[in-house]
Amino acid sequence: MTGLYGAYEDDNWESIAEYYHFKNDNLMVPGVTTSNASWLGFAQIGRDIGHDWMPYLRVEKGSLDQGDPYFNAQAYGVSYKREVVGARYMLNAKAALKLEMNRTKEGDGVPTVGDPNGNYREVRAQYSIRF
């Protein structure tokens, strides 16, 4: 597994990105070795608009090899593309509230509840703390 992370901040802007590459050999069948490769990544940009608010945009993409028994065995171990719009409110230096809306397209038309093509939308809320 290889991972990269980058961040840039100035007075009003924040941009972050992450990328992970997974490569492994499947040795489950004696005498047969198959290689699997997958990757995940995202990029996000946000702007501080004052009063502790930061709206942001994020794009995510994952290309997960379904021949890999690890990803294949997971309920959400499928390739996907996602666009996100959200806002973070800093309650104080160690706590924040976040609200975001996203649109997801799961790869290769994987059926999901309510959409046989793997498309869905969500609204998410989060309370986070750091220490």
Side-chain angles (χ1 to χ4, degrees):
M1 182 171 95
T2 303
L4 299 169
Y5 172 80
Y8 174 77
E9 291 185 36
D10 71 6
D11 292 338
N12 296 323
W13 290 93
E14 169 187 89
S15 57
I16 55 177
E18 284 188 59
Y19 172 82
Y20 293 97
H21 181 79
F22 308 93
K23 183 165 176 36
N24 64 298
D25 291 332
N26 181 355
L27 306 173
M28 293 180 71
V29 178
V32 178
T33 301
T34 56
S35 292
N36 303 106
S38 300
W39 63 270
L40 295 161
F42 81 89
Q44 176 176 307
I45 188 165
R47 178 164 168 77
D48 183 349
I49 59 172
H51 306 292
D52 299 317
W53 283 97
M54 179 173 288
Y56 59 88
L57 299 171
R58 181 174 64 244
V59 293
E60 305 175 18
K61 186 169 182 178
S63 178
L64 306 179
D65 185 345
Q66 292 303 289
D68 186 325
Y70 176 76
F71 290 120
N72 191 285
Q74 295 183 36
Y76 297 102
V78 297
S79 299
Y80 72 96
K81 296 177 187 175
R82 179 175 293 139
E83 297 92 26
V84 180
V85 61
R88 181 177 68 227
Y89 177 72
M90 297 300 296
L91 296 168
N92 57 48
K94 295 189 176 195
L97 290 174
K98 187 167 70 170
L99 180 65
E100 63 182 38
M101 296 177 290
N102 72 55
R103 180 177 61 188
T104 301
K105 167 74 171 145
E106 291 186 343
D108 302 325
V110 176
T112 59
V113 175
D115 189 330
N117 296 315
N119 299 313
Y120 60 92
R121 293 187 168 131
E122 297 174 301
V123 175
R124 296 179 179 184
Q126 179 187 52
Y127 171 73
S128 61
I129 59 171
R130 65 180 174 184
F131 46 92

